[in-house]
Amino acid sequence: MIQNEHQYRITQTKLRELEKELTTINPQSPNMHTRQIVGWTNSLNMTIRQLKQEISEYQQLKQPRSPGLLTGEIGNAFFEPLPEEELQQWE
């Protein structure tokens, strides 16, 4: 998880590097077996997706939030009086 601006910038740089590396993979390379190429491509794609997710989460956390009321419903149990035994326990 990205925790500060420094990590954010490093992650963005690494993402660009991995995306560039992904474009340089040659599926017809005689030096690598097809399974190696597929494994390498899958690994890069998985790492790229993960970094994009972390960047997105960090950007959402950095967005200013507007104060407001919580929406939802409070159950009736919240407003029911406590039995006398429980009141005495809390006193």
Side-chain angles (χ1 to χ4, degrees), residues 61-74:
L61 289 174
K62 293 299 287 182
Q63 289 180 353
R65 297 185 199 171
S66 58
L69 297 174
L70 297 175
T71 58
E73 294 183 19
I74 298 177

Side-chain angles (χ1 to χ4, degrees), residues 28-46:
Q28 306 301 326
S29 176
N31 299 332
M32 294 181 74
H33 190 275
T34 305
R35 288 183 184 171
Q36 289 174 310
I37 294 171
V38 170
W40 186 22
T41 303
N42 289 343
S43 176
L44 286 174
N45 281 323
M46 185 173 68

Side-chain angles (χ1 to χ4, degrees), residues 1-3 8 11-12 15 18-19 44-62:
M1 178 176 186
I2 300 172
Q3 297 179 358
Y8 177 66
T11 304
Q12 287 180 316
L15 176 61
L18 291 174
E19 287 175 332
L44 286 174
N45 281 323
M46 185 173 68
T47 304
I48 288 169
R49 277 195 309 273
Q50 183 179 8
L51 292 179
K52 284 181 178 181
Q53 178 67 31
E54 289 183 17
I55 288 171
S56 175
E57 289 172 1
Y58 182 75
Q59 289 171 338
Q60 288 176 356
L61 289 174
K62 293 299 287 182

